[in-house]
Amino acid sequence: MNSTFSTYDLVVLGAYFAFMLLIGWVFRRAVSNTSDYFRGGGSMLWWMAGSSAFMTQFSAWTFTGAAAKAYEDGAIILALYFANGLGFLGNYLLTAAKFRQARVITAVEAIRRRFGKVNEQVFTWLQIPLGTIYAGIWLNALGLFFAAVFGFDVNTTIILTGSAVLLVSLFGGAWAVSASDFIQVVVLMLITIVAAVFTLGKLGGIDAFFETVPLTGKSNGLEIRSSIVYVWIIAIAVKQVVNVNNLLDSSRYLSARNTKEARKAALLATVLFFIGPVIWFIPPMAAATMIPDMSAVFPNLSKPDEVAYVAICLEILPVGMMGMLASGMFAATMSSMDSGLNRNAGIFVRNFYFSVCRPQADEKELMLAGKLTTITLGALIIVIALGLNQLKDMSLFDIMLQFGTLVAMPLIIPAMLAVFVKRSPDWAAWSAILLGLINSFAVKTLATEARLSAIIGGDLTSREMSDLILIIGVFSNLIVGVGWFFIATALSKHIPAKRESEVKAFFADVEQPVEEGDRDAGQDDPSLQVTLISRVALAYGGFMLIMALIPNPLTGRLAFIFCGGSLIVIALLLKRGARAFTLQSKVKAPTATSATQDQTSA
């Protein structure tokens, strides 16, 4: 087994970072105001907005903490990712259109329109710290992982990755973030397809996979207290659907060109979340059979199961391809971080600096404030990541799920109800958050192993304890948050006339589709974004084709040809689309001129 990076792998990884920085530099020309910087001017096409929505929903944790779950418990991990698919299906069917039609630059501006200025600040000063801590956890976990498995220096990994994310966001804003997300999703899907195919080849094919790999994982996870497992699946589905369909995450679709493009973006994310996991978790599930004792291979790791995905890839992938896998893992984390960084900078500038401190500020000042905020938050994320090294002794899977359940869920429940409940007092939102956080503290404090064991009747494993905490946290927060929100609505007999008028205006917008020609519809020439991305994709695809020259067996060379060729085909299709947009604009221009001349003559 090759346990270190070859020179070729390092070249591939270095080229990936260079191309990501190139995207930030190329897209700087597309930014002229805060709408461009924080939401791409609301001009992005569906495939760009959709790939960004998809990539922001997971990080390298998918290939570490979640891969460990697949290794230990088998196919049950698919429930988490299919739940994301259900959440995005809800976006496609209902909420993506409503979110885009909020007609704002940041999600918290939509919160202000719906719940007033007090809640604008409540959500601002909860979302920014939460988002920053999330990013710090992701970055720290990535650094620890690469340090343990490949011998990279953990601090150097954190600083270099954090700096790359910072520069991409700083140079090109939302345009560069979404463009890099598109390239990253293509690279990620290609390399995981290669890893899955090589894994199946090692086992002897698909039939051999089902014959030799236990779908319940190494621990027979579905057979241990199946009642807990099945309730956990339901809780995960509820949690993820709520998580994806709340107004605070409307930023996924605020960048879309119009309502139609927003819904198509949601559909793309839906399809990717139903297809992707089936491909991603073939290697770690196969590891349960191929490498039953992960600690024997990585004796120095405190959580060796978390490298199940990489352990298989070290066995099967050709020389140079591990660099691409590392690129994919960096991509998964960078996409979440850069979107969060850009989003949080936008919230600070638009919902605090402009709303509270400098309402008279012009676009030039706001752009400067946005860039300074991006630098500050980026540096803070790196500092947090460097200070979180104690995470190496904890389960990444449990950390992320419990943090999302007990800390983030109280915040997003009123944000979920925001576009469905039309008459409620402003205080219903912040009070529901407060009660939710109190409930989460009570769950974490009172739901002890002794109490839960007495209720269940028998000793609990650490895995079962973690599952029960999540189950109790999800359903209790849902009951407390939703229940109190409606109680507050029932208690409020009178809403101030000004706020009632503002809320009616908000819902009037939310119900009205954004179409081509509308004031808030994308105004930029779409051919520019297509042309720029196609050029980067073409260059990176060409680079991957050159990697086919690395001394490898034929199958290894074909893997690079498949990845590079696929990216080049996508680039050529994009260039063709750019030409179509140009032709359309030329056809429309004379018509508009003619109409103007007719009106003048009349």
Side-chain angles (χ1 to χ4, degrees):
M1 178 182 291
N2 175 26
S3 60
T4 60
F5 263 28
S6 69
T7 302
Y8 296 113
D9 293 311
L10 291 173
V11 169
V12 171
L13 186 58
Y16 165 77
F17 273 99
F19 275 103
M20 290 305 102
L21 293 174
L22 176 64
I23 288 175
W25 182 254
V26 166
F27 272 89
R28 76 193 190 283
R29 58 186 287 193
V31 177
S32 60
N33 54 50
T34 52
S35 180
D36 289 336
Y37 196 67
F38 296 126
R39 65 160 188 163
S43 296
M44 293 182 189
L45 299 171
W46 63 272
W47 46 268
M48 197 166 172
S51 59
S52 188
F54 171 69
M55 286 296 285
T56 57
Q57 194 60 23
F58 66 96
S59 68
W61 174 83
T62 294
F63 303 101
T64 54
K69 189 74 171 178
Y71 176 73
E72 296 163 2
D73 296 337
I76 189 175
I77 186 60
L78 296 177
L80 174 61
Y81 289 85
F82 288 166
N84 279 328
L86 288 176
F88 279 105
L89 182 61
N91 283 172
Y92 170 69
L93 295 174
L94 188 61
T95 54
K98 293 179 179 293
F99 293 160
R100 178 61 184 89
Q101 290 156 200
R103 294 169 166 83
V104 291
I105 293 177
T106 71
V108 177
E109 287 179 329
I111 293 289
R112 180 185 66 209
R113 294 191 67 193
R114 176 62 186 87
F115 289 130
K117 291 188 175 182
V118 171
N119 281 293
E120 176 187 22
Q121 297 310 309
V122 170
F123 278 84
T124 292
W125 294 107
L126 285 176
Q127 171 58 33
I128 291 177
L130 282 178
T132 305
I133 292 171
Y134 258 129
I137 291 174
W138 291 327
L139 184 57
N140 174 270
L142 185 72
L144 288 173
F145 178 79
F146 276 89
V149 179
F150 300 119
F152 290 12
D153 179 72
V154 58
N155 291 336
T156 302
T157 303
I158 288 172
I159 292 170
L160 289 179
T161 306
S163 298
V165 169
L166 171 58
L167 291 174
V168 169
S169 299
L170 180 65
F171 286 148
W175 277 116
V177 167
S178 294
S180 64
D181 284 347
F182 175 73
I183 299 295
Q184 287 167 348
V185 75
V186 174
V187 171
L188 181 71
M189 293 303 293
L190 290 174
I191 184 57
T192 52
I193 289 172
V194 169
V197 169
F198 273 65
T199 301
L200 293 175
K202 184 78 170 180
L203 289 172
I206 296 177
D207 291 340
F209 175 84
F210 285 105
E211 289 172 2
T212 60
V213 175
L215 296 182
T216 55
K218 189 179 67 170
S219 66
N220 291 321
L222 292 178
E223 298 175 8
I224 301 175
R225 293 192 195 272
S226 58
S227 57
I228 294 179
V229 172
Y230 295 133
V231 176
W232 180 88
I233 291 174
I234 295 171
I236 281 292
V238 171
K239 174 184 175 296
Q240 295 307 104
V241 169
V242 171
N243 185 53
V244 176
N245 288 274
N246 74 89
L247 193 58
L248 202 56
D249 280 334
S250 63
S251 52
R252 289 189 176 99
Y253 304 107
L254 294 177
S255 61
R257 190 170 184 83
N258 51 46
T259 297
K260 183 179 178 181
E261 296 289 314
R263 295 189 70 242
K264 288 167 70 177
L267 183 59
L268 174 61
T270 301
V271 171
L272 289 174
F273 263 116
F274 279 118
I275 294 176
V278 177
I279 299 169
W280 302 335
F281 294 114
I282 288 175
M285 288 176 64
T289 297
M290 297 171 66
I291 313 176
D293 186 5
M294 202 63 67
S295 61
V297 182
F298 295 97
N300 296 324
L301 298 187
S302 59
K303 299 287 183 180
D305 289 356
E306 291 180 348
V307 299
Y309 193 100
V310 171
I312 289 294
C313 291
L314 287 169
E315 290 268 7
I316 61 173
L317 290 183
V319 176
M321 194 61 75
M322 282 305 298
M324 282 194 64
L325 175 65
S327 299
M329 297 182 70
F330 274 106
T333 297
M334 289 174 67
S335 61
S336 301
M337 286 177 55
D338 57 19
S339 296
L341 178 59
N342 182 259
R343 181 187 310 172
N344 287 336
I347 289 172
F348 177 83
V349 171
R350 298 286 309 183
N351 301 110
F352 179 71
Y353 183 80
F354 180 58
S355 178
V356 175
C357 301
R358 293 278 297 169
Q360 73 275 19
D362 58 17
E363 281 295 322
K364 183 178 180 181
E365 180 180 340
L366 294 178
M367 279 291 296
L368 177 60
K371 292 184 177 182
L372 292 175
T373 303
T374 298
I375 293 172
T376 303
L377 291 178
L380 187 58
I381 288 171
I382 294 173
V383 170
I384 290 173
L386 291 172
L388 285 176
N389 287 330
Q390 64 267 28
L391 286 179
K392 62 185 176 182
D393 296 322
M394 302 172 69
S395 166
L396 292 176
F397 189 83
D398 294 336
I399 290 170
M400 295 304 295
L401 286 189
Q402 288 195 22
F403 190 78
T405 299
L406 301 178
V407 180
M409 200 167 177
L411 181 65
I412 64 179
I413 286 175
M416 174 196 66
L417 297 171
V419 294
F420 298 107
V421 182
K422 294 187 176 182
R423 183 176 176 82
S424 61
D426 291 347
W427 56 270
W430 63 259
S431 59
I433 294 172
L434 179 61
L435 289 179
L437 291 173
I438 292 172
N439 172 72
S440 290
F441 178 78
V443 168
K444 195 62 178 174
T445 304
L446 301 178
T448 63
E449 184 176 352
R451 288 193 176 98
L452 294 180
S453 296
I455 295 172
I456 295 296
D459 293 335
L460 296 171
T461 66
S462 59
R463 172 184 168 276
E464 290 170 338
M465 266 298 298
S466 178
D467 288 353
L468 284 173
I469 292 293
L470 182 135
I471 291 168
I472 296 169
V474 167
F475 290 116
S476 63
N477 269 321
L478 197 63
I479 291 169
V480 170
V482 174
W484 174 252
F485 192 91
F486 280 103
I487 289 172
T489 300
L491 290 175
S492 180
K493 303 298 182 183
H494 176 70
I495 298 175
K498 180 181 178 182
R499 284 294 300 129
E500 188 169 15
S501 175
E502 290 171 347
V503 171
K504 283 182 178 179
F506 169 76
F507 278 105
D509 280 344
V510 163
E511 300 301 328
Q512 180 64 36
V514 176
E515 299 175 337
E516 288 291 336
D518 289 359
R519 178 177 57 84
D520 196 65
Q523 306 298 323
D524 295 340
D525 179 6
S527 63
L528 175 62
Q529 58 184 283
V530 179
T531 299
L532 292 177
I533 294 180
S534 66
R535 288 175 180 172
V536 175
L538 192 62
Y540 197 53
F543 171 77
M544 285 193 284
L545 280 183
I546 294 174
M547 291 296 100
L549 299 176
I550 295 174
N552 269 314
L554 178 60
T555 53
R557 294 176 187 269
L558 289 175
F560 280 106
I561 291 172
F562 164 72
C563 293
S566 297
L567 195 52
I568 287 174
V569 168
I570 291 172
L572 294 176
L573 289 174
L574 290 176
K575 288 178 72 70
R576 182 178 178 183
R579 287 194 294 268
F581 283 125
T582 302
L583 289 174
Q584 288 176 10
S585 62
K586 287 181 179 178
V587 169
K588 289 179 181 178
T591 305
T593 304
S594 241
T596 305
Q597 289 174 345
D598 290 343
Q599 290 173 359
T600 304
S601 299

